[in-house]
Amino acid sequence: MTDFTREIQLVNQLADVSTEVICQYFRQANIYAETKLADRSSIVTIADRQAEEAMVNILRETVPNDGIIREEGENIPSKNGRYWVLDPIDGTSAFVKGLPVFGTLIGLVDSHQNLPLVGCLNQPILQERWLGITGKIPTLNGKPLENPYAKLTDSQLKDACLTSTTPIMFITQRQQAIAAKLQQVCKRIAFGGDCYNYGSLASGWSSMPMVILESDLKYYDFCALIPILEGVGCIITDWLGNTLNSESTEVLAASNQTLHQQALEVINN
Amino acid sequence: MTDFTREIQLVNQLADVSTEVICQYFRQANIYAETKLADRSSIVTIADRQAEEAMVNILRETVPNDGIIREEGENIPSKNGRYWVLDPIDGTSAFVKGLPVFGTLIGLVDSHQNLPLVGCLNQPILQERWLGITGKIPTLNGKPLENPYAKLTDSQLKDACLTSTTPIMFITQRQQAIAAKLQQVCKRIAFGGDCYNYGSLASGWSSMPMVILESDLKYYDFCALIPILEGVGCIITDWLGNTLNSESTEVLAASNQTLHQQALEVINN
């Protein structure tokens, strides 16, 4: 098995160039922000566009056979089954408000096996970089992550914090009903946070075990997070408990297996 | 008119001691977190209790004639009409999740005139300290704040970001209907952020003008923010456009007068 040295170097290069772009625009007024969707759930700034373009340029030059799945521009097909999955600013809403709890998501996936090989969550303002590599302990700024909740088998939803970026992401009546059911049984409900919530989850930062329930997501919203979370004992699947793939839109993540199982039971009963 | 030198010194002392306590507990597991209210909208950690206690101890010793209105413990009556209004951790939810977008709120108010004299929003982890003094330009870490949106008279809700900490704060049907109306007309809806949203508002950090709509608040949730916001041309009132007082629970804040007026019209028509 490869140690992914070259890929990690490339991931760091992508995180560096996107950091440079994003820091130029963070907390600046009058950056163009265009609403992409009629439901106003998505927004584009110059920072999104330029950060993605900078990453894509490097990839086209360095690994021209790899494909690219991206938030802003057209996807690029792969010649070897490997895809880079890019979200320049996950949490544009926090970015637009000037809150440093958004992130750049960079994933590398082997599409033949639906296997995320490498994942990076980069917070450019706070200079926090999570890196996950399949089969290895993930790191934050090079330091191995520890999730104190990973091995607990007595966690309970009534002692857990449930988080979702926004209630607006629960679109269908079914999704709204499921969110409401889970909200009823958890100790605390907290909105906001976007991908930074997953960084916190992987790092065991929350002062109580955590469950993240989200819907209406795209592949680039979660692909990079998978190796970071799984490498530290967190569980991330779809709402049925299935492995996530490029078509998934409903995501359930939890601090440990016990909590994840309980959440699945609430969702599906 | 006093220049509040002594009060500012005291505010900084309070912000320093609360910082010390909060940094001890931030991102620590197993800090006791007790749910205060049946609706799970509020939570207490050791950090809240100890940070407030540390501030109260200093105030009792330094200004024993001043009263205290506080989130956690019993209020203390004033002998001179002056009250310190304390919220050790506004945004306990973000604190519990390990997100550095909560803050300590320290206000000093002359209750005879319902006049907030001094207000401080302190973010202990990112080491950001906003300070507002009635009649003066507010500062962030000693540097005068600038709000680029303050003087704009052509701002429109359709170009603005609407933010609220959580949809759960809209409790009554009337509140929910008002929130829904305003959400319909704004460009972007963003949840989360707590008092940090107001710090961003005062600093003009958002990349589009911003409106904050909140309800179910207590005096200590907004008192300290008033001199910070008003000193930089932001508007903060209740949902009828009235000056906030210790009984207010519904808060509307905006980047400028034009936007605030438009939001008031949506709310009250």
Side-chain angles (χ1 to χ4, degrees), chain B residues 2-234:
Chain B
T2 169
D3 65 357
F4 296 109
T5 308
R6 187 161 154 269
E7 288 81 0
I8 294 165
Q9 202 177 10
L10 190 49
V11 164
N12 280 317
Q13 204 183 340
L14 300 179
D16 287 343
V17 295
S18 56
T19 292
E20 207 175 316
V21 172
I22 291 167
C23 288
Q24 278 175 47
Y25 292 108
F26 185 60
R27 294 183 178 168
Q28 297 302 308
N30 303 320
I31 61 174
Y32 178 68
E34 166 196 313
T35 306
K36 278 199 299 194
L37 301 173
D39 66 357
R40 295 162 298 140
S41 67
S42 205
I43 214 168
V44 185
T45 69
I46 310 174
D48 294 81
R49 292 244 168 93
Q50 290 187 5
E52 186 177 285
E53 200 180 323
M55 292 192 286
V56 167
N57 288 344
I58 288 173
L59 289 172
R60 297 314 291 151
E61 193 165 305
T62 319
V63 283
N65 292 327
D66 293 6
I68 299 176
I69 295 171
R70 55 204 281 204
E71 182 172 22
E72 304 305 336
E74 287 283 309
N75 291 342
I76 296 169
S78 176
K79 292 173 184 158
N80 57 19
R82 286 173 32 141
Y83 278 94
W84 293 84
V85 185
L86 305 178
D87 189 350
I89 301 181
D90 179 85
T92 308
S93 177
F95 177 82
V96 163
K97 282 204 287 178
L99 272 56
V101 288
F102 60 92
T104 303
L105 294 171
I106 303 163
L108 172 61
V109 67
D110 177 341
S111 67
H112 298 315
Q113 303 169 64
N114 182 33
L115 184 65
L117 304 170
V118 179
C120 175
L121 160 55
N122 186 59
Q123 208 313 307
I125 310 303
L126 304 179
Q127 302 191 316
E128 293 165 328
R129 189 171 298 177
W130 285 265
L131 185 65
I133 301 153
T134 181
K136 296 195 179 176
I137 303 287
T139 57
L140 170 56
N141 292 350
K143 211 181 138 197
L145 283 184
E146 276 183 65
N147 165 18
Y149 302 111
K151 297 211 167 119
L152 298 184
T153 54
D154 57 352
S155 297
Q156 296 196 49
L157 291 177
K158 73 175 175 58
D159 302 318
C161 178
L162 173 66
T163 187
S164 313
T165 293
T166 167
I168 300 169
M169 64 178 17
F170 304 115
I171 296 174
T172 66
Q173 284 196 338
R174 170 186 151 273
Q175 288 170 342
Q176 288 165 7
I178 284 171
K181 270 201 293 183
L182 208 51
Q183 286 165 6
Q184 276 303 316
V185 292
C186 289
K187 183 182 184 85
R188 178 80 190 173
I189 309 157
F191 292 99
D194 300 275
C195 63
Y196 203 78
N197 288 328
Y198 295 88
S200 172
L201 185 72
S203 311
W205 279 346
S206 55
S207 62
M208 56 182 83
M210 193 152 67
V211 174
I212 305 180
L213 184 79
E214 308 219 276
S215 60
D216 198 28
L217 297 190
K218 297 287 201 308
Y219 195 37
Y220 48 74
D221 289 321
F222 58 79
C223 174
L225 301 166
I226 298 171
I228 300 171
L229 289 170
E230 292 189 339
V232 77
C234 296

